[in-house]
Amino acid sequence: MYTFLLGLAVLLAGGYLYGKFCERVFGPDHRKTPAYAMADGVNYVPMKKWKNSLIELLNIAGTGPVLGPIQGILFGPIAFVLIPIGCVLGGAVHDYFSGMMSLRHGGEQMPGLMKRFMGRGVYQIYNVFVCLLMFLVGVVFIYTPGDMLAGSILGFSTSFVDANTGAMASWESLIPLLAIYLIILLYYLVATVFPIDTIIGRIYPIFGAILLLSAVGIFVGLFVGGGITTLSEVWGPWPEWVNEGVIGTSFGCGWANLIPMFFITVACGIVSGFHSTQACIIARSVNSEFEGRNTFYMMMILEGFIAMIWAAAAMIVYTNGAAEAGVTGATAVVGIVSRSFLGPVGGVVAILGVVVLAITSGDTALRSLRLMLADYFHIDQVKTAKRVGLSLVIFIPVAAVLIYSKMDPNGFNVLWRYFSFANETCAVFAFALISVYLYSKRKPWIMTIIPGMFYMFVCSSYLLNAKIGFNLDWLPAYVVAGVLTVAYAALILRAGARRRARLDSGELDPKQFDTPGAWDGVEEDVPKEA
């Protein structure tokens, strides 16, 4: 219990203090933001401060801060330490600087920022990873909310294939599930094509109410039911089910391979490359640079709070027998937690809250993918016909991969592994970008290069060991990952030094990268809130 409470204190107090420090390092000012200087009524649209923050939270908080911590707590109560520290020093820093750099540079998407600061070569490599990530997020976040709605709430079958016999289920039995998938897909299409304030800006407050109600309900349930007193301490003893590999996980738990497996498993609850792409969307709707700390940094802290809640709740249900009962699948644990803490009706609301998390990340992931492809191929997105056409090019293969993954009993596990790796790899690129930016401006780049190096080691050691990668033993995987991490840091410092030299020599004009029209009016003309 005390480890959990101390972790919450670190998350909230550390987030407040370090967020202020990050804001001071970046240095927001009163220039016009892209929402005003580049307003187009579609993607560049001013929205209220609270609405921008809520949309950012819903965009970044997919099923990651729920399913990740549910599996991450299998490593033991060390999760209550690593989640808050990682959020404060890594995830929230990543989200804040990504959003603020986009805000300062015309609302550019991450590929555009990569090309601007890291060069065309890095930009081309990053584009592959980030487009793959957006695509996989779209698939995963149709798969998981669809299955939770069909299975946990409506009681329909969610299996295309029998895991034991390999027999295909009848198409008649799958009609309800396919109908749910289609409804989610159609919503994604509408949310992707229409202006951001038409669909997302109007419906997200409702989604946000469901999310916050479910999270607060479970948090209160930790205390009301007395379950919080059963939480183990990091100094021991740890629960017996740690290291037993429950809920169908394919990795060692406890201290075994904590790095990289814990950080790949929890992913979005600590650091997520996906978040940077979402911050760049909201950067086009923010009214003032001074809103950035709350919109970008503190929303990641709030996501960390959600991750801590679900990690604690999962530990309680494991301790109460779910592990011994052989419960398999993190989505099944969502249902157990929800009904255990909130009862039948409240449990449905909590499950809906998790569904909301997935849907509100999936729609903006596909929106981001559309914008990135449009920028790359120079496809105008003001006209509705072109937005619809490009969206269909994306959505047809999304549907195909979804059905293909459902045809394999192990399809989702493979899908999730590729998603997690692509997600953290994009974060490695984002940390490199931010570090070069800070280095070139003689600002404390050490605050982003350290988490970047850490996640470079996590991603490379995971890929070198994983069956979907090079399948090496852990020792050589760690050695090679260490070498790659040193090379990563050296390349960042080299790129930062070159950019600083070009700025010092006058070859680059710092103001040429500002938002167009940012200084066309006096500062007093910039609204504090739309």
Side-chain angles (χ1 to χ4, degrees), residues 7 52 129 201 224 235 314 337 453:
N52 282 320
F129 279 102
V224 172
W235 48 85
V337 167
M453 291 174 65

Side-chain angles (χ1 to χ4, degrees), residues 175-198:
I175 288 176
L177 178 63
L178 291 173
I180 292 172
Y181 286 160
L182 180 61
I183 291 170
I184 295 173
L185 192 63
L186 289 175
Y187 163 73
Y188 284 179
L189 180 61
V190 172
T192 299
V193 170
F194 279 81
I196 191 168
D197 62 335
T198 302

Side-chain angles (χ1 to χ4, degrees), residues 6 15 63 68 102 133 136 160 230 317 401 419 434 491 521:
L6 287 172
T63 51
S102 176
L133 173 60
L136 292 175
F160 275 38
T230 67
V317 300
V401 172
F419 157 71
I434 300 164
L491 290 173

Side-chain angles (χ1 to χ4, degrees), residues 146-158:
D147 281 21
M148 280 188 279
L149 281 172
S152 298
I153 296 180
L154 301 177
F156 296 130
S157 172
T158 61

